Amino acid sequence: MCGIVGYVGKLKAAPLILEGLKRLEYRGYDSAGVMVCQDGKFVLVKKAGRVANLEKEAAKVRLTGHFGMGHTRWATHGGVTDANAHPHISSDGQIALIHNGVIENYISMKKFLLTKGYQFVSETDTEVLGNLLAYHYAKEPANAEESRFVSAVRKTLLHVEGTYGIVVMALDAPGELVTARKGSPLILGIGDGESLVASDVSAIVSRTQSVVYLNDGEIAHLTPSSFSITTLAAGEVSPVIDKVTWSITDAELNGYTHFMEKEIFEQPAALENAMRGRFSEDGSTANFGGLNITPAEFRNMDRFMFCACGTALHACMVTEHLIERFARVPVECDYASEFRYRNMPLFSNTLFFVMSQSGETIDTLAAMREAKRKGYKVLAINNVVGSTIAREADGGIYQHVGPEVGVASTKAFTSQLLIGGLLSLYIARMRDMSFSDGVQFVQALKGAPDHVRTVLMQAEHIKGIAKRYAKYRDMLFLGRLSLFPIALEGALKLKEISYIHAEGYPAAEMKHGPIALISEECPAVFFVSSGEMFHKVINSMQEIKARGGRIIAIATESCQLPDGLADEVIIIPECHEAVLPIVATIPVQLLSYYIAVELKRDVDKPRNLAKSVTVE
Ligand code: G6P
């Protein structure tokens, strides 16, 4: 989604802002803009398309100012045009604004502003907000206690319905930025003689690792040497300065062609990081430091509810399977976007979980707030430290896999699966699971990184398959039990980055509809594991084969597949039920990645997608 960078300091602002915007490209956007304040003027360049286009345009203009801001826009109100890109300057030329979010009452504001003589050159809600700011700023008397600028922003925001993360500059206050949030993340960067603001730490971490996470309803005032925060109701806020624990090299390609490729191959190390310190001293259960609920309270829960979006929901579905299988406690999973509106009846002793890599997905955040309003405790499984979900949850589990830049989630997903396994162990050990079964479970989880390494060694084999299958326009992904969510994830990965239509189904359900798609033109990817479902899955494969469909089998090593049944076979190690979904994910990540590369798709920035969806 939209990205924000703002800078006031001693250096030329434009190159730093453009660098920050490049770091935000992964979030998904369709146009970009940069603006600096210099020689008593706002100098603005904005363009539809990539930041690279913007950079070319910016190179034609003299941008020397030390104060400025930039934006990557993901269109909501108004098409993808140069005029609709941000920043927007008010029609009196006094105020410049960038904005993430959606202003819901912009139409009535616009009508009011038209009666006051303000003019509009774009179709955006942001320009309306910019003009309203200018209107209040012009009326603002000099006030000894507070800057006119902050006071005008506060008065304006009191009229706004909707969500926003904004950065504002005033022509007569060149070295100052005012920034405020409600529903869209903003982080202040506190540097040496410079201050920054961004929608994402990655845009500013090359300048400073000292950050302040702004909360909803807060307004910050930044100058090169100071910052202060107040609330919308003019209350003082004592800010907490946090340290970012990763550095910019963690968010660089380091020799890989794409971030998705890098993040796929990083998974053994990512899993090790996600499990570090997470086993009890006796080696028979899991150990979590930040749940903020006592083991006794946890033990008392009769049910667990999980909400998430996209890939994270697939991780919740595997977790559901594992908790029900090993701990025998009922679990419910729901799309966060549905849960937030469907007023679902919940049992009283239910512990609520949300899962989100970014910790900023608006639907997941809203589902969490709704559960909290109903009086439930909510724990978050989340990767980005300091994200809104992490801060608003009652407790939680960090994934600790470092920044994930590729839009298609890979290492975040497998680490969510690992945490799902740890949770199921923790809950099971509080119930019927024996000490020795617990020890075995722990050993199995510890073995996951090596199993993943083994599958990664087959990358060339999978690349060969990808080259043969990139020509198809439809594909099915079929699995059973804990591998059904992996089938959903495989189909999602392929769709996201290669734009090939794909569907995930429980293998047996295939007969009730999707089988109509089967022909030589629609291959099927089957997950086959040894055990109770083996023969059932083989039957489903036979049904596809009988109708001329090609088959790619991802099979555990002891599976004896009938000769000629699968056209392609990818062997994965035999492993514990909690580890199998992790290991089975790797081939579909690689397959999707290599197919997308074969089709010359923009792997890390697929069309229309955003890494973190912060608007409804
Ligand atoms: C977006 C991304 C998906 C991701 C989903 C949930 O749609 O494109 O890859 O799975 O959001 O993101 P979260 O950060 O909440 O896990």
Side-chain angles (χ1 to χ4, degrees), residues 308-313 355-362 364 381-382 389 399 404 406-409 412 416 489 492-493 496 609-613:
C309 299
T311 287
L313 184 68
M355 228 189 247
S356 171
Q357 185 286 130
S358 62
E360 301 293 351
T361 302
I362 199 78
T364 312
I381 297 168
N382 155 232
I389 288 178
Q399 296 171 226
E404 186 180 70
V407 165
S409 185
Q416 286 164 345
E489 177 61 10
L492 182 66
K493 284 287 88 88
E496 280 180 316
L609 290 181
K611 179 73 183 155
S612 163
V613 178

Side-chain angles (χ1 to χ4, degrees), residues 245-435:
T245 53
W246 51 274
S247 74
I248 201 65
T249 48
D250 295 323
E252 280 171 352
L253 280 168
N254 299 333
Y256 286 96
T257 311
H258 297 104
F259 282 104
M260 183 180 180
E261 180 193 22
K262 175 187 175 221
E263 287 155 6
I264 289 174
F265 283 90
E266 259 174 18
Q267 287 177 109
L271 291 169
E272 273 153 11
N273 289 338
M275 69 173 82
R276 185 162 300 122
R278 294 244 157 98
F279 296 109
S280 63
E281 266 180 34
D282 68 2
S284 78
T285 188
N287 179 34
F288 302 107
L291 295 179
N292 291 340
I293 88 168
T294 63
E297 276 179 283
F298 213 111
R299 173 70 185 80
N300 237 348
M301 295 298 165
D302 297 329
R303 269 166 204 267
F304 299 98
M305 174 83 209
F306 284 78
C307 274
C309 299
T311 287
L313 184 68
H314 300 153
C316 292
M317 292 168 76
V318 172
T319 305
E320 171 184 26
H321 176 89
L322 295 177
I323 294 176
E324 291 189 340
R325 161 89 174 80
F326 292 105
R328 312 289 307 143
V329 184
V331 178
E332 187 100 26
C333 278
D334 201 3
Y335 295 98
S337 53
E338 290 295 300
F339 175 85
R340 63 182 288 194
Y341 291 116
R342 76 191 183 97
N343 197 21
M344 179 187 177
L346 292 171
F347 285 82
S348 54
N349 278 342
T350 299
L351 183 58
F352 205 93
F353 279 90
V354 286
M355 228 189 247
S356 171
Q357 185 286 130
S358 62
E360 301 293 351
T361 302
I362 199 78
D363 286 322
T364 312
L365 180 60
M368 169 170 120
R369 287 178 176 162
E370 175 64 5
K372 289 187 76 160
R373 270 192 292 272
K374 291 190 168 196
Y376 291 89
K377 279 209 167 175
V378 182
L379 304 187
I381 297 168
N382 155 232
N383 189 35
V384 177
V385 175
S387 61
T388 308
I389 288 178
R391 284 179 296 126
E392 290 192 18
D394 295 296
I397 307 171
Y398 274 126
Q399 296 171 226
H400 289 312
V401 296
E404 186 180 70
V405 178
V407 165
S409 185
T410 52
K411 64 175 179 175
F413 177 63
T414 47
S415 69
Q416 286 164 345
L417 296 180
L418 179 93
I419 288 166
L422 284 162
L423 254 184
S424 64
L425 167 67
Y426 183 70
I427 302 165
R429 286 286 288 128
M430 287 179 159
R431 292 175 166 77
D432 286 341
M433 186 182 278
S434 70
F435 178 84

